[in-house]
Amino acid sequence: MIKQNTLFYTYLDECKKNFFTTEFERKDSKHEAYNFYSLSSVSFESDYYLQQFEDKWAVFKKEFNIPDKTCLHFAEYKKLLSSDHVKNIKIAIRQKEAIFSSESSINFSEFENVINSSDGFEEKEKEKLLKKLESFKNPEDLSSCYVEVKATFRKYSKKILSVDEKDIEGYRLFLNSDGTFDIVNVHNFFSTLKELLKTSQFHILNTDYINLKKAYLPLRKASEREKLTNPNILPAKNLAKAEARVVMKKHLDILIEFLISNNFNGSTYLDENLPDMLYTKLRFDADGKEFEAKSDLKMAFHECLTTGTERFEQKTAVKLLDEIRFIRKEEVGSGNIPPHCGSELVDFLCSLVCSETRVSYLTKIGVISQEDFPKGKYSTLIFEEEELEDISFEDIIEDKLFLKTMIDYSEI
């Protein structure tokens, strides 16, 4: 029974490319023309969220010795399932320690050896990088030089080893007391997470958007000749609404449906009393000013408050959608007030959920086959070690997914 003035917290995240889209494009070169954008959200009743879920999440993080101020980066943790990736992280750490033996010294010859022995650079790139290193020697300002050389190493590490600082931080969370990495620790982490989610009370919504990258005729002067652009994810970008704006407005439409749905005699119905009894605060997982979709998402939110959604009146939206805030990673963590653990949860679930909804839809319309893209594959963490069971989150997604919808412009 919904109580008067029930508050929900709704945490949202976006997903563009992920493991599924990588395999989808690899399967057929024609698939490279497809563009995907998805929004997923998790909604909690505030009393449960504040009084129970936050505590459960904090206990979970403490069990795995995750610092209070640390925001979980699940993408980096999932990559640890690859032994090749773990090997590259170890290489990056060894190289970094050899080049930067202290906070003020740089072993240039070691860095040069690393670059020269790398097969990932073309000769011109290698020469350019070595020349850049040479320019850093004998600097007037040692501290600024140190910062720049470190930045150069990070670029090298990302390009050649596909390893960045987040990967290294994630790797170090799962070390044994003797400093060795143990994949069993990663398995225990995700197994415990699954049990936590099974017993938690929240609802998932998902909205997918698909279109084809197309060329278009851009703005030009009257004297200029017509010339097509390269295929673009947003044809006629000076005229069209950005995908984030379109998807957010659709997602708010199904969020309203979720909020005003009531179970009656074993079935779910829209309840006209509910807009006067509850509302939600939206929190979007974002990276501050650098988050490119922020303006479009805010615009979609305010459009709903001004004109309503696709199906629901403006007055309904105003009653139910209280506010939207964009949460930066540094605001997230058990030691923060509030900890915004919902942001960490949706960060984990978003890619898994939209992978499954994308596969389901594309299979349904005949773009892919179930044999090539089996149901449940992309919501399962697959471990290379035979003694470790794979961990599937498919059952949790099916249990918690309240609504999903698709915006398909791929046939236009």
Side-chain angles (χ1 to χ4, degrees):
M1 183 71 180
I2 296 292
K3 296 181 292 184
Q4 194 74 28
N5 294 323
T6 296
L7 168 63
F8 282 78
Y9 289 120
T10 297
Y11 282 87
L12 304 98
D13 198 6
E14 66 172 9
C15 180
K16 299 175 185 177
K17 290 183 174 291
N18 58 8
F19 181 41
F20 161 69
T21 59
T22 300
E23 291 205 336
F24 177 69
E25 291 176 4
R26 196 178 291 156
K27 183 69 179 176
D28 189 332
S29 59
K30 293 179 182 177
H31 292 168
E32 293 177 10
Y34 281 80
N35 172 59
F36 296 90
Y37 184 90
S38 300
L39 286 181
S40 298
S41 65
V42 293
S43 293
F44 299 83
E45 281 196 40
S46 62
D47 286 350
Y48 168 78
Y49 179 78
L50 297 172
Q51 296 169 19
Q52 296 185 51
F53 187 78
E54 284 186 345
D55 290 340
K56 288 171 66 174
W57 196 261
V59 169
F60 163 64
K61 292 177 74 171
K62 187 174 182 179
E63 181 179 344
F64 291 92
N65 301 311
I66 296 168
D68 285 347
K69 297 287 185 178
T70 297
C71 174
L72 295 175
H73 293 282
F74 288 101
E76 281 69 40
Y77 308 159
K78 286 188 283 185
K79 286 191 282 184
L80 295 172
L81 275 60
S82 165
S83 57
D84 287 339
H85 183 65
V86 171
K87 180 181 176 182
N88 283 346
I89 291 175
K90 291 177 180 178
I91 292 171
I93 292 172
R94 284 200 304 270
Q95 291 176 343
K96 184 178 178 181
E97 290 175 348
I99 296 167
F100 307 99
S101 56
S102 73
E103 287 299 316
S104 58
S105 66
I106 303 169
N107 189 332
F108 283 100
S109 61
E110 182 65 29
F111 201 169
E112 288 166 351
N113 289 337
V114 166
I115 293 169
N116 282 319
S117 62
S118 172
D119 296 328
F121 289 113
E122 294 180 2
E123 281 305 312
K124 285 186 178 180
E125 284 183 292
K126 192 175 288 188
E127 289 174 12
K128 185 178 179 181
L129 194 51
L130 290 170
K131 189 175 180 180
K132 186 175 183 179
L133 276 186
E134 190 67 31
S135 70
F136 289 137
K137 295 178 181 179
N138 304 315
E140 293 182 7
D141 184 353
L142 184 61
S143 61
S144 63
C145 170
Y146 187 84
V147 170
E148 289 194 52
V149 176
K150 262 203 164 178
T152 303
F153 177 79
R154 285 196 294 269
K155 289 178 182 177
Y156 149 80
S157 179
K158 187 66 177 176
K159 178 177 175 61
I160 303 302
L161 300 172
S162 298
V163 171
D164 59 22
E165 288 299 316
K166 288 181 181 178
D167 292 310
I168 294 173
E169 289 171 13
Y171 165 85
R172 285 179 168 151
L173 288 175
F174 299 100
L175 301 180
N176 287 327
S177 56
D178 61 359
T180 58
F181 175 77
D182 192 344
I183 190 63
V184 173
N185 295 336
V186 181
H187 190 274
N188 291 341
F189 174 85
F190 282 111
S191 295
T192 304
L193 174 62
K194 179 173 181 176
E195 290 307 309
L196 186 157
L197 299 186
K198 266 187 180 180
T199 59
S200 297
Q201 299 169 25
F202 61 90
H203 296 280
I204 303 170
L205 305 179
N206 187 79
T207 304
D208 293 308
Y209 175 100
I210 302 176
N211 71 321
L212 295 179
K213 301 169 190 173
K214 293 181 180 180
Y216 65 96
L217 294 167
L219 284 173
R220 59 202 173 277
K221 296 177 182 178
S223 58
E224 291 180 318
R225 293 180 61 184
E226 295 175 346
K227 184 180 179 181
L228 286 171
T229 66
N230 292 325
N232 194 288
I233 62 171
L234 185 61
K237 65 179 182 179
N238 292 303
L239 306 176
K241 292 180 180 178
E243 55 194 7
R245 183 174 168 187
V246 174
V247 177
M248 181 64 162
K249 196 162 184 181
K250 183 70 173 178
H251 196 79
L252 293 176
D253 186 79
I254 65 170
L255 176 59
I256 289 176
E257 180 178 348
F258 158 70
L259 290 169
I260 63 173
S261 292
N262 202 352
N263 191 286
F264 180 73
N265 289 340
S267 297
T268 301
Y269 301 92
L270 299 185
D271 186 337
E272 291 190 337
N273 276 11
L274 288 181
D276 294 317
M277 299 177 67
L278 54 83
Y279 62 104
T280 190
K281 295 180 182 289
L282 281 70
R283 304 289 183 255
F284 205 103
D285 182 23
D287 292 322
K289 292 181 180 179
E290 296 178 7
F291 181 58
E292 61 183 25
K294 185 174 180 179
S295 295
D296 290 304
L297 294 166
K298 287 173 69 176
M299 202 172 298
F301 180 80
H302 291 298
E303 281 176 2
C304 290
L305 298 185
T306 304
T307 62
T309 68
E310 183 180 335
R311 294 178 298 158
F312 297 105
E313 296 276 2
Q314 176 260 355
K315 62 182 180 181
T316 307
V318 168
K319 288 179 179 179
L320 294 167
L321 307 177
D322 184 61
E323 65 175 19
I324 185 169
R325 279 194 55 210
F326 294 87
I327 308 302
R328 301 186 306 276
K329 295 296 184 187
E330 56 265 31
E331 295 180 75
V332 180
S334 302
N336 294 326
I337 300 175
H340 289 302
C341 52
S343 185
E344 293 176 301
L345 174 59
V346 76
D347 173 72
F348 171 65
L349 287 174
C350 184
S351 181
L352 302 184
V353 172
C354 73
S355 290
E356 290 301 319
T357 55
R358 290 169 180 178
V359 167
S360 175
Y361 180 76
L362 292 172
T363 302
K364 181 180 177 181
I365 64 173
V367 174
I368 59 176
S369 69
Q370 193 168 345
E371 290 73 28
D372 291 332
F373 296 90
K375 184 175 180 289
K377 175 181 178 180
Y378 299 99
S379 55
T380 300
L381 304 184
I382 299 172
F383 288 79
E384 296 176 1
E385 294 73 14
E386 290 184 6
E387 67 274 16
L388 297 177
E389 289 186 4
D390 297 337
I391 302 174
S392 173
F393 289 85
E394 182 185 9
D395 55 338
I396 290 174
I397 292 171
E398 289 181 347
D399 179 53
K400 309 288 188 184
L401 185 61
F402 186 86
L403 284 170
K404 62 178 180 179
T405 188
M406 172 66 70
I407 303 168
D408 183 2
Y409 291 117
S410 64
E411 297 299 321
I412 295 177

